[in-house]
Amino acid sequence: MPQKNTESALSPEDAARLEAFEAHVGKGGYVEPKDWMPERYRKQLIRMMSQHAHSEVVGMLPEGNWITRAPSLRRKMVLLAKVQDEAGHGLYIYCGTETLGVDREELVEALLAGKAKYSSIFNYPTLTWADIGAIGWLVDGAAIVNQTMLAKASYGPYARAMIRICKEENFHKRQGYEIMATLSKGTPAQKAMAQDALDRWWWPSLMMFGPSDTNSPNSAELIKWGVKKKTNDELRQRFVDLTVPQAEAIGLTLPDPDLRYDEETKHWNFGEIDWDEFWTVVKGNGPCNKERLEARRRAHDDGAWVRAAAEAYAAKRNGHNRATAA
Amino acid sequence: MDSNAALVDFLLGLGDDRLVLGHRLSEWCGHAPILEEDIALTNIALDLIGQATLFLGLAGDIEGKGRDADALAYFRSDREFRNHPLVELPKGDFAFTIVRQFLFDAFGYHLLQALAESAHEGLSGIAGKSAKETAYHLRHSAEWVVRLGDGTEESHVRAQSALDEAWRWTGALFVPTPAEAVLAESGVAPDLVGLESVWRSSVDEVIRNSTLELPEALPPTGKGYRRGDHTEHLGTLLAEMQSLARAHPGATW
Ligand SMILES: [Fe+2]
Ligand SMILES: [Fe+2]
């Protein structure tokens, strides 16, 4: 394979390091923050991990939208706990990203400036209570498929974060599926609400795995370096195979007339994803891109005086402690 | 008022205070000044809703009309809610949220501590568990009151104006309802006069550290207001909270 431009000017020393690095991750070895790593590897991880952290945080918004209207006290508590978990995931992954030599503030600035991405799924609106069920079941479900793979990523801090987070995502998925199951056993209006939510969230969930393999520029490199172990299309197929029987079990219909089980491959074939829609949302023109970013910016701007106060107070206390110690 | 009716009324009050304040805190979820506070405020909201569920559940059991915590939370009207007006005021800025929370946490903490010794076993059990949670809430809100009061000039001004506003509603915490009077007599609930003095000394200590000033000269809002008296804000809060449940009466969620 020809060398990439960015690495063509490697010194013999770095070339040797790169070779050792690739041999190490090729054997399934982990990379830790203090280890040498190619600059490109570091950049790719910062991009992936910060996108992941941003997604956890922005993802609080569509679900948070239903906390005050949750239809029972138990559902309200479960939803509060879930959204709180997502904030915790965001915090944890930001900390993990900081091990690569960036700080959280920089990463957040990039998000607010519209320079960093987050998962496009959160640019869709939550219109009914059933959307909370659909998100837990499908969005957390898709996240689990992706994160189960990332739990074996070559970068140690990322892999460990994924192991811890996946446990909670399983609980999120279960509560979402349980909401959908309850609705589909409920009144005709509740069942219709569940089906409508599934109709709206199914295709965007499939898009969560990213562009198809023929169109995914980063994949080969990430796989070579052990960051990803499977391609987007492989993960998407795994998600479809897991989800089809779950929909059937609760009497809901996936909105895809081309869905068919292939006896030979033992996989569910599915219809073509609307890639125009995918790119429209990725490029910032989905139904809620503007609102989500504005909500994050507003929280950040309105909170500036609070952060300033906390810093000023901490500085005063430190000064005081130094003065009394001296 | 017989003692059973008094107990139900009081338990509804304990539940409603927490349900309504938990609702206000949950409005911050995803919009807090820092991610750590998204987590903290959501966590406190979660505790409060959990406590509300227990108090309302017990109220429903004692009432004996087959109403569970959900029925009480979602199918009573605003005039039937028994919370204090302090907790239903809009969340305001972060300073107002924190200062109101602090004043309520201090009240809740001392009340729950006293109720943990209540002659009523069901009540004392819930109160004991809730008091432990509330000790953490109080520590969190008190630390922020000091940080905001003694932070920057802006945070000081904001915290002081939040205190001026919230303070005017604290008088109502200590005006006994007929139910509270009956329960104080029988040892089920503490006497509010005694409670006010312990509340006041823990408030004083934190306010002193914060460099803020208690606006004692300000007249209390709604003279004679007590638990169960409301502002215009409760109606819209409940309209939002109850909308989905009421659109599908009898449905299971
Ligand atoms: Fe998460
Ligand atoms: Fe999740």
CSV table of all heavy atoms in Angstrom, one decimal, chain A residues 56 63 82-83 85-86 89 135-136 139-141 143-144 147 165 168-173, ligand 2:
chain,number,residue,atom,x,y,z
A,56,GLU,N,-23.5,12.0,23.0
A,56,GLU,CA,-24.1,11.7,24.3
A,56,GLU,C,-24.8,12.9,24.8
A,56,GLU,O,-25.9,12.9,25.4
A,56,GLU,CB,-23.1,11.2,25.3
A,56,GLU,CG,-22.3,10.0,24.9
A,56,GLU,CD,-23.1,8.7,25.1
A,56,GLU,OE1,-24.2,8.7,25.7
A,56,GLU,OE2,-22.5,7.6,24.8
A,63,GLU,N,-34.6,13.5,24.2
A,63,GLU,CA,-35.2,12.7,25.2
A,63,GLU,C,-35.6,13.6,26.4
A,63,GLU,O,-36.7,13.4,27.0
A,63,GLU,CB,-34.3,11.6,25.7
A,63,GLU,CG,-34.1,10.5,24.6
A,63,GLU,CD,-33.4,9.4,25.2
A,63,GLU,OE1,-32.2,9.4,25.2
A,63,GLU,OE2,-34.1,8.4,25.6
A,82,LYS,N,-32.0,7.7,32.8
A,82,LYS,CA,-31.4,7.4,31.5
A,82,LYS,C,-30.6,8.7,31.0
A,82,LYS,O,-29.5,8.6,30.6
A,82,LYS,CB,-32.4,7.0,30.4
A,82,LYS,CG,-31.7,6.8,29.1
A,82,LYS,CD,-32.8,6.5,28.0
A,82,LYS,CE,-32.1,5.9,26.7
A,82,LYS,NZ,-31.5,6.9,25.9
A,83,VAL,N,-31.3,9.8,31.0
A,83,VAL,CA,-30.7,11.0,30.5
A,83,VAL,C,-29.5,11.4,31.3
A,83,VAL,O,-28.5,11.9,30.8
A,83,VAL,CB,-31.7,12.2,30.3
A,83,VAL,CG1,-31.1,13.4,29.8
A,83,VAL,CG2,-32.9,11.7,29.4
A,85,ASP,N,-27.6,9.3,32.8
A,85,ASP,CA,-26.5,8.4,32.4
A,85,ASP,C,-25.8,8.9,31.1
A,85,ASP,O,-24.6,8.9,31.0
A,85,ASP,CB,-27.1,7.0,32.0
A,85,ASP,CG,-27.4,6.1,33.2
A,85,ASP,OD1,-27.0,6.4,34.3
A,85,ASP,OD2,-28.1,5.1,32.9
A,86,GLU,N,-26.6,9.4,30.2
A,86,GLU,CA,-26.0,9.9,28.9
A,86,GLU,C,-25.1,11.1,29.2
A,86,GLU,O,-24.0,11.2,28.7
A,86,GLU,CB,-27.1,10.4,27.9
A,86,GLU,CG,-28.2,9.4,27.6
A,86,GLU,CD,-27.7,8.0,27.0
A,86,GLU,OE1,-26.5,7.8,26.9
A,86,GLU,OE2,-28.5,7.2,26.6
A,89,HIS,N,-22.0,9.6,30.4
A,89,HIS,CA,-21.2,9.0,29.3
A,89,HIS,C,-20.4,10.1,28.6
A,89,HIS,O,-19.2,10.0,28.3
A,89,HIS,CB,-22.1,8.4,28.3
A,89,HIS,CG,-22.9,7.2,28.8
A,89,HIS,ND1,-23.9,6.6,28.1
A,89,HIS,CD2,-22.8,6.5,30.0
A,89,HIS,CE1,-24.4,5.6,28.8
A,89,HIS,NE2,-23.7,5.5,30.0
A,135,ILE,N,-36.4,5.5,20.7
A,135,ILE,CA,-35.0,5.9,20.8
A,135,ILE,C,-34.3,4.9,21.7
A,135,ILE,O,-33.2,4.4,21.3
A,135,ILE,CB,-34.9,7.3,21.4
A,135,ILE,CG1,-35.4,8.4,20.4
A,135,ILE,CG2,-33.5,7.6,21.9
A,135,ILE,CD1,-35.3,9.8,20.9
A,136,GLY,N,-34.9,4.5,22.8
A,136,GLY,CA,-34.2,3.6,23.7
A,136,GLY,C,-34.0,2.2,23.0
A,136,GLY,O,-32.9,1.7,23.0
A,139,VAL,N,-32.1,3.4,19.0
A,139,VAL,CA,-30.9,4.3,19.0
A,139,VAL,C,-29.9,3.7,20.0
A,139,VAL,O,-28.7,3.5,19.7
A,139,VAL,CB,-31.3,5.7,19.3
A,139,VAL,CG1,-30.0,6.6,19.4
A,139,VAL,CG2,-32.2,6.3,18.2
A,140,ASP,N,-30.4,3.4,21.2
A,140,ASP,CA,-29.4,2.8,22.1
A,140,ASP,C,-29.1,1.4,21.7
A,140,ASP,O,-27.9,0.9,21.9
A,140,ASP,CB,-30.0,2.7,23.5
A,140,ASP,CG,-30.1,4.1,24.2
A,140,ASP,OD1,-31.0,4.9,23.9
A,140,ASP,OD2,-29.1,4.5,24.9
A,141,GLY,N,-30.0,0.7,21.0
A,141,GLY,CA,-29.7,-0.6,20.5
A,141,GLY,C,-28.6,-0.6,19.4
A,141,GLY,O,-27.7,-1.4,19.4
A,143,ALA,N,-26.5,1.8,19.2
A,143,ALA,CA,-25.2,2.2,19.8
A,143,ALA,C,-24.5,1.0,20.5
A,143,ALA,O,-23.3,0.9,20.5
A,143,ALA,CB,-25.6,3.3,20.9
A,144,ILE,N,-25.3,0.1,21.0
A,144,ILE,CA,-24.7,-1.1,21.6
A,144,ILE,C,-24.0,-1.9,20.6
A,144,ILE,O,-22.8,-2.4,20.9
A,144,ILE,CB,-25.8,-2.0,22.3
A,144,ILE,CG1,-26.4,-1.2,23.5
A,144,ILE,CG2,-25.3,-3.3,22.8
A,144,ILE,CD1,-27.6,-1.8,24.1
A,147,GLN,N,-20.8,0.0,20.0
A,147,GLN,CA,-19.9,0.1,21.1
A,147,GLN,C,-19.4,-1.2,21.6
A,147,GLN,O,-18.3,-1.3,22.2
A,147,GLN,CB,-20.7,0.8,22.3
A,147,GLN,CG,-20.9,2.3,21.9
A,147,GLN,CD,-21.8,3.0,22.9
A,147,GLN,OE1,-22.0,2.5,24.1
A,147,GLN,NE2,-22.4,4.1,22.5
A,165,ILE,N,-19.7,1.8,29.6
A,165,ILE,CA,-20.9,2.5,29.1
A,165,ILE,C,-21.9,1.5,28.5
A,165,ILE,O,-23.1,1.6,28.7
A,165,ILE,CB,-20.5,3.5,28.0
A,165,ILE,CG1,-19.9,4.7,28.8
A,165,ILE,CG2,-21.6,4.0,27.2
A,165,ILE,CD1,-19.2,5.8,27.8
A,168,GLU,N,-24.7,0.2,30.8
A,168,GLU,CA,-25.8,1.1,30.9
A,168,GLU,C,-26.7,1.2,29.7
A,168,GLU,O,-27.9,1.3,29.7
A,168,GLU,CB,-25.3,2.5,31.4
A,168,GLU,CG,-24.8,2.5,32.8
A,168,GLU,CD,-24.2,3.8,33.3
A,168,GLU,OE1,-24.0,4.8,32.5
A,168,GLU,OE2,-23.9,3.9,34.5
A,169,GLU,N,-26.0,1.1,28.5
A,169,GLU,CA,-26.8,1.2,27.3
A,169,GLU,C,-27.7,0.0,27.2
A,169,GLU,O,-28.8,0.1,26.6
A,169,GLU,CB,-25.9,1.2,26.0
A,169,GLU,CG,-24.9,2.4,26.0
A,169,GLU,CD,-25.5,3.8,25.9
A,169,GLU,OE1,-26.7,3.9,26.0
A,169,GLU,OE2,-24.8,4.8,25.7
A,170,ASN,N,-27.3,-1.1,27.7
A,170,ASN,CA,-28.2,-2.3,27.7
A,170,ASN,C,-29.5,-2.0,28.5
A,170,ASN,O,-30.6,-2.3,28.1
A,170,ASN,CB,-27.5,-3.5,28.3
A,170,ASN,CG,-26.7,-4.2,27.2
A,170,ASN,OD1,-27.3,-4.6,26.2
A,170,ASN,ND2,-25.5,-4.3,27.3
A,171,PHE,N,-29.3,-1.3,29.6
A,171,PHE,CA,-30.5,-0.9,30.4
A,171,PHE,C,-31.4,0.1,29.7
A,171,PHE,O,-32.6,0.0,29.7
A,171,PHE,CB,-30.0,-0.4,31.8
A,171,PHE,CG,-30.9,0.5,32.5
A,171,PHE,CD1,-32.0,0.1,33.1
A,171,PHE,CD2,-30.6,1.9,32.5
A,171,PHE,CE1,-32.9,1.0,33.8
A,171,PHE,CE2,-31.5,2.8,33.1
A,171,PHE,CZ,-32.6,2.3,33.7
A,172,HIS,N,-30.7,1.0,29.0
A,172,HIS,CA,-31.5,2.0,28.2
A,172,HIS,C,-32.3,1.3,27.1
A,172,HIS,O,-33.4,1.7,26.8
A,172,HIS,CB,-30.5,3.0,27.5
A,172,HIS,CG,-29.7,3.8,28.5
A,172,HIS,ND1,-28.6,4.5,28.1
A,172,HIS,CD2,-29.8,3.9,29.8
A,172,HIS,CE1,-28.1,5.1,29.2
A,172,HIS,NE2,-28.8,4.8,30.2
A,173,LYS,N,-31.6,0.3,26.4
A,173,LYS,CA,-32.3,-0.3,25.4
A,173,LYS,C,-33.5,-1.1,25.9
A,173,LYS,O,-34.6,-1.1,25.3
A,173,LYS,CB,-31.4,-1.3,24.7
A,173,LYS,CG,-32.1,-2.0,23.5
A,173,LYS,CD,-31.3,-3.2,23.0
A,173,LYS,CE,-32.3,-4.0,22.1
A,173,LYS,NZ,-31.7,-5.2,21.6
C,2,FE,FE,-28.0,5.3,26.2
